[in-house]
Amino acid sequence: MKTLIQNDLVRNFVAGEWQEGDDNASIKVEDPATGEIITYCALASDETLERALKGARQCFENGDLKNLSPLAKATLLRRVAFEIRKIADEGAELLCRESGKALDDAKSEFIEAADYFDYYSGIADKIEGKSIPLGPGYVDYTILEPYGISAQIVPWNFPVSLAARGLAPALAAGNSVIIKSPELDPLGIAALGIALERAGAPKGSVSILNGIGSDLGAKLVASKDIDQIVFTGSVPTGQAILKSAANEVVPALMELGGKSAGIVYADADIEEVLESVKWGIFFNAGQVCSALSRLLVCQERYDEVLQRCVELAEGLSVGHGLKNSSLTPVISEAQLCKIEAKIARASADGAIIATGGKRLQRDGHFMAPTILCNVAPESRIAQEEIFGPVLCVIPFKDNEEAIQIANNTEFGLVAGVFTKDLSIAHKSASALKAGQVFVNEWYAGGILTPFGGVGKSGFGREKGVEAFYNYVRTKNIAIKL
Ligand code: NAD
């Protein structure tokens, strides 16, 4: 990927051109497993943003993407999928080194990104309106139109797949998209620019800009020239963006954080529970919005499950993502300090550290896999998102209390139930306050199933067919004959 890093600098993809920022500003991109600098990233300036906005608007008004025949648009998306798969190995190595995640997981992100393009290519030629009978003398029909410019802000935990999650349906609908990449790991997303370029995406249909959230990100979402905001990230940033959206009355899609609970009922298969704990809280070092961060266990199995969770945590292989270790570093020193501080406060509040609790003494930003018990459900550690490999194990006495504890946070992204009893599974799934419920397997589902939150976890749905309708709006045409 020669075009991606030149003179040790990752550039911006601005309306079809690879450009440095205009004022020579750059930030370093670090390997979280070693602390070494991998490369530098050219920051987009105000002028760069203006050019991206102008290119996006021109592409939209010219109809370069929007007016492609439905079949041609579908074909373009499939070509993007093909090109992403071609760069998946090389891209995965960059993503692994900049984010710290395991190489196999980084490769899966590129494959998932390609899958999003294949999936939404299937909708690009089936964007159909309705005919509404109004009685004799009238004809009425609806058409689904793209918004215009979709401004998309992406977080650092799954930058490549989350960028594709918003980009593919937005393009399928005919929007132009400007992505603000996460400042901590912008390389993988930049690689997507290469795939889009090679696939022949119309100039201006996609720009990928590097910048600091509070600067470039804030300017992008406050622009008078955008027509939609798609945000994935933390609650405070989402709240700030919603204020910008309110100023210009721009629709916004919010995919925010979580503090998700899995409920282990007495009849649960403990091996299934442990497999879910392994992926649910230790995958990507727990930096997952839908992480299994609270495990609620019925009293009769509490000691057994707690013990097994501790053994699991202590048995994880730790190391560089390139070695596909089970526990990889967290993204930055700042993130590591935040996690440690939250655990110290939890300890002071009475939580007991069953294992872990502090950073590992080695290079890079490694947090020990941590299991906390004696956690009061209403304490801050059980209420706030930690975004690290930290699990709170909390007992409950009956099903009613389990649901009450699970629902008692300001979030509602996902929830889980472990039981062999289908009746309990259905009743719990219906009572849980969450956008999606997993039964007997954390993260069951995938790009085909709608994903999003309730409460402070956000609103709107990504993934699946349903998500596509976030990227179009309905126009009704009523005709008196
Ligand atoms: P963050 O909110 O700090 O940053 C997210 C993105 O917003 C980054 O690109 C950042 O540069 C940008 N940003 C920051 N301030 C901004 C501003 N004022 N205006 C515009 N953009 C701004 O979040 P993070 O730390 O990168 O990501 C972790 C958070 O994201 C967690 O809370 C996690 O739960 C959430 N998340 C949610 C989902 C989901 O689908 N629900 C998926 C992944 C992550």
Side-chain angles (χ1 to χ4, degrees):
M1 277 187 273
K2 261 202 331 266
T3 35
L4 186 61
I5 304 181
Q6 280 194 355
N7 303 327
D8 213 14
L9 199 62
V10 178
R11 294 174 298 159
N12 299 281
F13 184 56
V14 190
E17 313 283 336
W18 289 94
Q19 298 180 357
E20 294 184 9
D22 298 286
D23 47 16
N24 293 326
S26 66
I27 41 167
K28 58 181 189 223
V29 183
E30 189 199 79
D31 180 338
T34 60
E36 284 162 18
I37 295 170
I38 303 170
T39 186
Y40 289 82
C41 173
L43 295 180
S45 66
D46 292 358
E47 293 76 28
T48 324
L49 173 59
E50 278 313 309
R51 278 201 298 282
L53 285 163
K54 199 164 154 218
R57 183 58 62 195
Q58 262 171 7
C59 172
F60 190 72
E61 296 305 335
N62 293 346
D64 297 342
L65 176 68
K66 176 176 68 161
N67 295 344
L68 281 182
S69 79
L71 285 172
K73 196 144 38 89
T75 305
L76 171 65
L77 263 68
R78 282 196 296 274
R79 276 204 309 269
V80 177
F82 176 75
E83 293 295 342
I84 293 176
R85 289 199 178 89
K86 278 197 352 203
I87 60 167
D89 283 321
E90 227 178 321
E93 198 169 322
L94 288 174
L95 178 59
C96 165
R97 292 200 56 215
E98 65 175 337
S99 69
K101 66 180 60 200
L103 185 60
D104 285 352
D105 298 335
K107 173 92 184 274
S108 301
E109 255 199 70
F110 275 87
I111 300 304
E112 186 167 290
D115 289 346
Y116 275 118
F117 278 89
D118 272 338
Y119 181 79
Y120 288 108
S121 77
I123 295 182
D125 56 0
K126 300 171 195 71
I127 306 173
E128 297 168 354
K130 281 188 204 163
S131 161
I132 301 171
L134 289 182
Y138 291 90
V139 170
D140 189 284
Y141 62 94
T142 63
I143 50 178
L144 300 177
E145 296 183 328
Y147 279 92
I149 300 180
S150 175
Q152 307 198 352
I153 308 276
V154 180
W156 45 261
N157 59 340
F158 296 98
V160 172
S161 65
L162 294 181
R165 185 177 81 177
L167 185 54
L171 295 181
N175 296 285
S176 298
V177 178
I178 300 178
I179 291 180
K180 205 292 284 171
S181 64
E183 48 270 58
L184 290 169
D185 53 4
L187 308 184
I189 292 196
L192 285 184
I194 291 183
L196 286 152
E197 187 180 32
R198 289 180 182 165
K203 279 189 193 312
S205 59
V206 183
S207 287
I208 302 172
L209 307 183
N210 308 315
I212 305 297
S214 55
D215 178 28
L216 183 78
K219 286 176 182 154
L220 172 61
V221 296
S223 164
K224 289 184 186 311
D225 206 24
I226 59 167
D227 302 291
Q228 180 196 40
I229 298 170
V230 178
F231 174 68
T232 305
S234 64
V235 175
T237 309
Q239 288 166 325
I241 290 176
L242 282 170
K243 287 180 187 145
S244 291
N247 283 341
E248 298 301 324
V249 195
V250 173
L253 198 61
M254 290 282 133
E255 294 284 3
L256 309 177
K259 186 73 184 179
S260 303
I263 302 176
V264 181
Y265 289 112
D267 66 342
D269 177 333
I270 298 303
E271 301 312 317
E272 272 176 2
V273 172
L274 286 164
E275 191 61 16
S276 284
V277 168
K278 182 174 172 197
W279 287 105
I281 193 64
F282 298 127
F283 165 58
N284 211 34
Q287 303 164 118
V288 183
C289 53
S290 47
L292 168 48
S293 51
R294 293 181 299 151
L295 193 67
L296 313 186
V297 187
C298 62
Q299 267 166 355
E300 54 269 51
R301 308 214 52 191
Y302 183 78
D303 291 344
E304 172 197 359
V305 171
L306 177 61
Q307 178 60 29
R308 293 287 308 272
C309 286
V310 169
E311 283 163 18
L312 169 70
E314 290 176 353
L316 293 172
S317 64
V318 180
H320 201 290
L322 287 171
K323 294 192 173 136
N324 279 315
S325 315
S326 309
L327 187 92
T328 49
V330 299
I331 188 80
S332 64
E333 176 63 21
Q335 183 70 10
L336 186 55
C337 290
K338 264 194 227 166
I339 299 168
E340 282 189 318
K342 285 186 180 182
I343 292 177
R345 199 185 53 211
S347 265
D349 288 348
I352 294 173
I353 299 168
T355 187
K358 42 184 188 302
R359 70 181 64 204
L360 295 171
Q361 292 309 315
R362 52 184 299 157
D363 286 345
H365 317 305
F366 286 88
M367 179 68 205
T370 298
I371 307 285
L372 300 177
C373 57
N374 205 40
V375 172
E378 61 288 349
S379 61
R380 287 179 68 177
I381 197 76
Q383 292 286 322
E384 293 177 355
E385 189 175 40
I386 302 174
F387 231 54
V390 181
L391 176 69
C392 298
V393 187
I394 300 171
F396 65 84
K397 61 177 183 309
D398 56 30
N399 298 8
E400 201 183 325
E401 190 185 43
I403 300 289
Q404 189 272 327
I405 298 173
N407 286 347
N408 185 29
T409 74
E410 59 184 13
F411 297 106
L413 192 54
V414 306
V417 180
F418 297 89
T419 177
K420 296 192 185 81
D421 184 328
L422 270 183
S423 168
I424 291 181
H426 282 297
K427 282 185 191 153
S428 303
S430 146
L432 283 163
K433 189 185 87 180
Q436 40 279 306
V437 176
F438 309 129
V439 177
N440 293 331
E441 186 188 84
W442 205 259
Y443 302 134
I447 69 169
L448 288 71
T449 52
F451 182 90
V454 302
K456 285 202 179 155
S457 291
F459 48 82
R461 292 291 176 267
E462 294 286 9
K463 303 183 171 182
V465 173
E466 196 171 323
F468 173 77
Y469 295 97
N470 292 317
Y471 296 92
V472 286
R473 58 186 162 200
T474 304
K475 181 184 275 174
N476 190 77
I477 294 138
I479 305 171
K480 183 175 184 306
L481 296 174

